[in-house]
Amino acid sequence: FGIHALLVVTGTLSPVTATAWSENDVTGEDVYPPLWDLAPENLLDFPIKDNKIVLSAWNYEDRLGVYKSLLNASAKYFNAFGPQNSGNILWGLPLQHGWQFRTGRLADPSGGTSCGHENGELMCQSVRSWWSCMNYYLAIIPFLGAVEAGLFGQLPYEIEILPPEEQKDDFCYTIKDCWSRMPKLMDDWKAFFEVIFFLISVSSASSSSFKLDDALGLMWKAHTTSIAYALPKFQDRLKYLSDPEANFGEDWANAVDFIAATHFSTDLLTTNNFQDFLPQRMLVEGDVLPSISDFSPGQNKVLVTLRALHKANKLTGGLLLKLWQKAMSTEAGRKMGRKLIESLPLS
């Protein structure tokens, strides 16, 4: 595989439009995750019981509130990168979660409960949902890492995460518990938050781009470590999904490694552009690529590309990813990779 071929093949996986966003676009309600205004603003807005801040990670609003707290507490570090905190690179996490909620991916796919369904407990996030379980490691673990790094200052209370009703052993619930069970994950996320304090707060206008690239590299390192840890743990949840949806989930997890290598920006507006081309509902039996009738040509092509990328990476025993990562190992290479991702609109 030549580097040029890698750039062409992999660049098609993220068809971000080149449309420029104005500052006015930042205020548009549709750029935020669903129900963003209803989510708790900061940690002290959550229930406090027995001298502990109690979070229900299996409630959409609470998990969204975890993200909102992270965004608000880190806003001062990202002032130089966009108005109204829009340049904050943590936006990718809640926006992905909002997309999952909006498309029904957090609901119980087994049909055994009404968790997450409109005619049942809409705010409920099912522990049987592959997406919801994977997201736990991109929500609660980053959050606890941020607490440990001091992002929220000296908190007057401990943090306690409420467990799901089943499969409790698949998750951790306190900082101490998470450190003992998954030290590598906690360490990567804590390191990210500790370093952004330094990198971004001391960066000057002339070096801000370089510093932001460093911060993005650390964030993506932690992000991919979370996915790599969670992926084998939740293989059993894929059985509840249709074959097309299960394939898409695994294809998406594989693609994140390729996107991460470019230090792709996960600010508010770039992520929104990016997500326009993700499927806006769950895939079901009978959905055949590349001609799913209620998907746009762009969405169909993204799904086809993700599938092909995953297959090619598996066939080469991971060599495709290694070659791509090598091509993205310099700032110039990453810039080329990002440019390609952002400038290749789907035809």
Side-chain angles (χ1 to χ4, degrees):
F1 293 91
I3 296 304
H4 177 72
L6 277 171
L7 289 170
V8 171
V9 171
T10 312
T12 62
L13 71 87
S14 176
V16 180
T17 62
T19 305
W21 288 69
S22 71
E23 290 189 14
N24 291 335
D25 291 319
V26 180
T27 59
E29 288 185 10
D30 58 339
V31 303
Y32 297 106
L35 308 180
W36 185 250
D37 287 344
L38 299 181
E41 295 278 338
N42 60 66
L43 293 187
L44 297 182
D45 289 337
F46 287 94
I48 296 168
K49 186 178 180 182
D50 298 330
N51 225 31
K52 293 177 181 177
I53 298 170
V54 181
L55 309 174
S56 174
W58 303 98
N59 173 279
Y60 173 71
E61 282 186 43
D62 267 27
R63 206 182 285 194
L64 202 61
V66 165
Y67 286 130
K68 200 170 187 178
S69 299
L70 281 174
L71 264 293
N72 288 339
S74 61
K76 61 185 176 183
Y77 299 105
F78 294 95
N79 284 336
F81 301 104
Q84 302 170 51
N85 204 23
S86 63
N88 195 320
I89 61 175
L90 291 172
W91 273 113
L93 297 173
L95 286 169
Q96 267 286 284
H97 193 51
W99 165 75
Q100 292 162 359
F101 174 78
R102 191 173 63 249
T103 58
R105 287 179 163 86
L106 304 178
D108 183 356
S110 73
T113 71
S114 64
C115 179
H117 293 282
E118 285 189 39
N119 59 351
E121 305 165 82
L122 182 59
M123 293 299 112
C124 177
Q125 294 194 198
S126 177
V127 74
R128 298 181 188 181
S129 160
W130 180 84
W131 294 95
S132 183
C133 291
M134 292 291 292
N135 180 264
Y136 192 95
Y137 286 85
L138 290 168
I140 301 306
I141 306 305
F143 164 67
L144 293 177
V147 172
E148 277 284 82
L151 181 68
F152 299 98
Q154 197 69 33
L155 287 173
Y157 308 102
E158 290 181 42
I159 305 286
E160 182 178 7
I161 313 296
L162 296 178
E165 292 184 2
E166 55 184 312
Q167 308 290 339
K168 296 179 183 180
D169 292 342
D170 287 336
F171 311 96
C172 60
Y173 306 104
T174 64
I175 289 176
K176 184 178 179 181
D177 181 27
C178 294
W179 270 112
S180 67
R181 293 171 63 177
M182 48 201 76
K184 169 68 174 153
L185 290 190
M186 289 289 289
D187 197 49
D188 278 1
W189 281 108
K190 183 186 178 200
F192 162 68
F193 285 104
E194 284 177 337
V195 172
I196 64 165
F197 300 159
F198 174 76
L199 285 179
I200 297 178
S201 61
V202 302
S203 67
S204 64
S206 61
S207 63
S208 61
S209 176
F210 172 75
K211 300 299 182 184
L212 191 59
D213 180 71
D214 284 353
L216 281 160
L218 285 165
M219 187 209 67
W220 278 115
K221 179 176 182 281
H223 190 119
T224 52
T225 302
S226 281
I227 289 179
Y229 181 89
L231 203 53
K233 183 180 280 288
F234 300 118
Q235 261 324 93
D236 64 325
R237 305 301 202 275
L238 292 171
K239 69 187 177 188
Y240 296 120
L241 301 175
S242 69
D243 287 345
E245 180 68 18
N247 286 336
F248 167 60
E250 292 188 301
D251 294 345
W252 177 238
N254 170 75
V256 169
D257 283 325
F258 287 85
I259 298 168
T262 73
H263 295 184
F264 189 80
S265 182
T266 45
D267 59 65
L268 179 69
L269 306 178
T270 306
T271 305
N272 268 294
N273 272 342
F274 183 93
Q275 293 193 158
D276 280 347
F277 290 89
L278 294 181
Q280 299 305 304
R281 63 162 173 80
M282 297 271 282
L283 276 68
V284 296
E285 301 296 349
D287 281 338
V288 179
L289 297 173
S291 52
I292 302 176
S293 60
D294 60 333
F295 283 9
S296 69
Q299 289 166 342
N300 272 290
K301 189 168 182 182
V302 165
L303 291 174
V304 169
T305 306
L306 293 181
R307 182 96 282 248
L309 189 66
H310 191 190
K311 282 184 176 179
N313 198 39
K314 282 180 78 173
L315 273 173
T316 60
L319 178 62
L320 186 64
L321 175 61
K322 287 176 182 175
L323 287 171
W324 176 251
Q325 289 171 331
K326 186 175 181 181
M328 298 296 110
S329 62
T330 65
E331 172 57 21
R334 290 190 294 275
K335 187 176 180 181
M336 187 188 300
R338 290 192 299 269
K339 201 170 192 180
L340 195 61
I341 288 173
E342 291 171 358
S343 65
L344 274 179
L346 290 179
S347 54

